[in-house]
Amino acid sequence: MATTQVTDSSFETEVLKSDGPVVVDFWAEWCGPCKMIAPALEEISEEMDGQVKITKLNIDENQDMAMKYGVRSIPMLILFKDGEPMATQIGAAPKGKLSDWIKSAL
């Protein structure tokens, strides 16, 4: 399963009310490091299918959720469990580190 796009309007359904853990990648089109980690997140999404859902929220188009969760620097990943933010990763990181971060937060 590839990463899913979420918006301010779909955030509650896709993330907060999700049955399992969800990673939200807060990103923007102009962000170089965001584009660098995108392929790694796609691979992790497929490798961890069934364990975690990985979503992407464009902060330029969806500022409400970015403000609500205090996104000041991107890329910023937040892992939500049972509708609550459980772990945060700020900045680009190699695939292995991102995967380890997700696994440790599960």
Side-chain angles (χ1 to χ4, degrees):
M1 180 176 149
T3 57
T4 311
Q5 298 291 332
V6 293
T7 61
D8 285 344
S9 56
S10 70
F11 196 87
E12 185 174 346
T13 305
E14 293 288 331
V15 178
L16 302 181
K17 292 186 175 175
S18 176
D19 290 338
V22 181
V23 171
V24 180
D25 173 19
F26 292 88
W27 72 287
E29 195 64 47
W30 48 264
C31 168
C34 298
K35 290 181 179 180
M36 281 174 34
I37 68 168
L41 290 174
E42 289 288 336
E43 289 176 25
I44 293 168
S45 177
E46 290 177 19
E47 290 166 10
M48 298 185 73
D49 187 23
Q51 298 172 60
V52 65
K53 177 163 77 171
I54 298 183
T55 63
K56 298 174 74 67
L57 183 128
N58 184 321
I59 64 163
D60 287 337
E61 298 168 1
N62 302 281
Q63 296 178 356
D64 292 348
M65 289 302 125
M67 286 183 1
K68 179 175 181 177
Y69 292 102
V71 177
R72 290 184 187 82
S73 176
I74 57 173
M76 180 169 162
L77 306 172
I78 302 177
L79 187 137
F80 288 83
K81 228 173 178 176
D82 300 320
E84 296 294 323
M86 301 305 279
T88 303
Q89 162 75 36
I90 298 173
K95 178 186 170 191
K97 184 174 180 199
L98 293 173
S99 184
D100 290 346
W101 170 76
I102 293 169
K103 288 174 185 166
S104 71
L106 295 178

